Amino acid sequence: MLSQGLIVFMRLLARLPLVWVRGVGWVLGLLLYGLLGGRRAIATTNLTLCFPEQSAQERRALVRQIFVYFTRAWLDRGWLWHGAPERTLQRLKIVGDVAQLNGDTPTVLFVPHFVGLDAGATALSQQIPRDFNTIFTPQSNQVMDAWIAQGRQRFGNARLFDRRQGVKEIVASLRQGQPLYLLPDMDFGSKDAFFVLFYGVAAATVPSLSRFARLGRAKVVPVLTRMTDWGYEVEVLPAWENFPSNDAEADTALMNRRLQDYIATMPAQYFWVHKRFKTRPPGAPEVY
């Protein structure tokens, strides 16, 4: 009942002006900053490791911003998934090298975990005439899992591949010209991962970007979604040159270095509440 009530709340929220939704997000974000000590500690630890030059005051201010952005993005799912289609068109702007998405060239979209990732997926599936696919981790709550899946498949003919299944269908869809909306920048454990540097810290990182690009014979196109006062800006960057190489570990290290450049443009909108350094190299102490 709680989950159903939350979904009803999100449907009602979709009817409000965006400035009201963002205002609610600001209040709830600061409230969650105060209440969720565990997540606040995770974000603080991540920032301490990645930005040791920051003062404690600067770090606290940034963590508060992170909670506000995260909460606002979560509430924005109301209008993204339930608002009028003309409203999403008005609030979602695709900019940059959009021509990279034309045609049917096999394409892997490198989508870092910025808070606007669902907005970016909605914009592409509604405005670009291609069938986009992504990989997901099922939620333990079946009601919420179904709601999220339905929201992410609202426009176009998007397919959601369960992370637990093999890659055969994913690679086949890539070769058929269906872009893969890939989010490989989280800690998925040590299995099949390389320990490569992220802000100078060894981070378990899966080489899926390199491997899918190679197996799908696909180009890699970064897509960065930025929250704005009027909605979201979805920036399509030029395809990476000479990628992938024959060295998946080197490719994965390069991905992390370029990700740092992207984060520098909007550090408060990155998913710092995730335990990015949970998996440690052999003998390294835990950090959380």
Side-chain angles (χ1 to χ4, degrees):
M1 290 183 63
L2 182 61
S3 298
Q4 294 287 4
L6 178 60
I7 294 171
V8 170
F9 169 73
M10 296 293 280
R11 287 180 177 273
L12 293 174
L13 205 62
R15 303 178 182 181
L16 297 179
L18 183 58
V19 66
W20 291 19
V21 178
R22 295 287 172 79
V24 173
W26 181 79
V27 173
L28 287 181
L30 293 181
L31 180 63
L32 292 176
Y33 169 82
L35 293 176
L36 301 183
R39 288 294 168 182
R40 187 174 66 244
I42 290 169
T44 301
T45 297
N46 286 335
L47 295 179
T48 301
L49 291 170
C50 296
F51 305 104
E53 72 282 0
Q54 286 183 337
S55 68
Q57 183 178 4
E58 290 172 329
R59 200 170 292 125
R60 282 194 298 271
L62 183 54
V63 173
R64 282 194 295 270
Q65 292 178 37
I66 290 165
F67 270 80
V68 169
Y69 275 117
F70 179 85
T71 307
R72 283 174 165 173
W74 208 95
L75 295 180
D76 281 344
R77 288 177 172 180
W79 59 267
L80 285 169
W81 295 349
H82 302 292
E86 56 269 22
R87 179 169 292 180
T88 59
L89 281 174
Q90 180 185 20
R91 295 177 180 175
L92 302 175
K93 307 297 182 185
I94 303 177
V95 301
D97 195 359
V98 185
Q100 293 285 352
L101 305 179
N102 294 342
D104 57 0
T105 302
T107 304
V108 178
L109 304 179
F110 172 42
V111 186
H113 273 81
F114 291 106
V115 296
L117 61 91
D118 276 307
T122 298
L124 294 178
S125 60
Q126 184 183 22
Q127 300 180 33
I128 304 296
R130 295 181 72 175
D131 295 338
F132 292 88
N133 302 324
T134 193
I135 303 172
F136 78 106
T137 301
Q139 304 290 313
S140 57
N141 183 315
Q142 294 184 359
V143 173
M144 295 302 293
D145 187 66
W147 177 63
I148 292 171
Q150 184 178 29
R152 289 176 175 170
Q153 294 174 297
R154 181 184 184 191
F155 298 111
N157 189 29
R159 296 175 64 188
L160 306 180
F161 292 102
D162 190 325
R163 187 173 299 280
R164 299 168 297 184
Q165 71 185 74
V167 302
K168 185 176 180 180
E169 284 189 74
I170 302 173
V171 172
S173 69
L174 261 175
R175 292 183 179 181
Q176 293 165 9
Q178 299 172 16
L180 177 63
Y181 196 81
L182 188 66
L183 303 89
D185 58 320
M186 299 187 79
D187 187 334
F188 295 109
S190 59
K191 184 179 179 181
D192 299 324
F194 294 118
F195 283 101
V196 293
L197 296 182
F198 181 55
Y199 286 99
V201 182
T205 311
V206 292
S208 55
L209 184 66
S210 174
R211 288 179 176 172
F212 277 123
R214 186 176 67 256
L215 293 172
R217 307 186 188 108
K219 63 180 179 180
V220 169
V221 175
V223 174
L224 313 178
T225 301
R226 179 176 287 100
M227 182 183 291
T228 67
D229 291 339
W230 44 260
Y232 292 89
E233 180 182 87
V234 184
E235 183 180 10
V236 182
L237 299 179
W240 287 356
E241 296 183 0
N242 304 315
F243 191 96
S245 69
N246 293 322
D247 187 336
E249 184 172 2
D251 289 345
T252 305
L254 176 62
M255 180 193 80
N256 277 359
R257 291 196 300 272
R258 291 185 173 173
L259 173 57
Q260 291 178 206
D261 294 335
Y262 303 154
I263 292 173
T265 68
M266 45 178 167
Q269 296 194 36
Y270 192 63
F271 203 75
W272 295 111
V273 294
H274 165 67
K275 291 184 178 180
R276 185 61 185 90
F277 305 104
K278 179 180 180 180
T279 304
R280 304 292 287 147
E286 295 185 1
V287 297
Y288 301 109

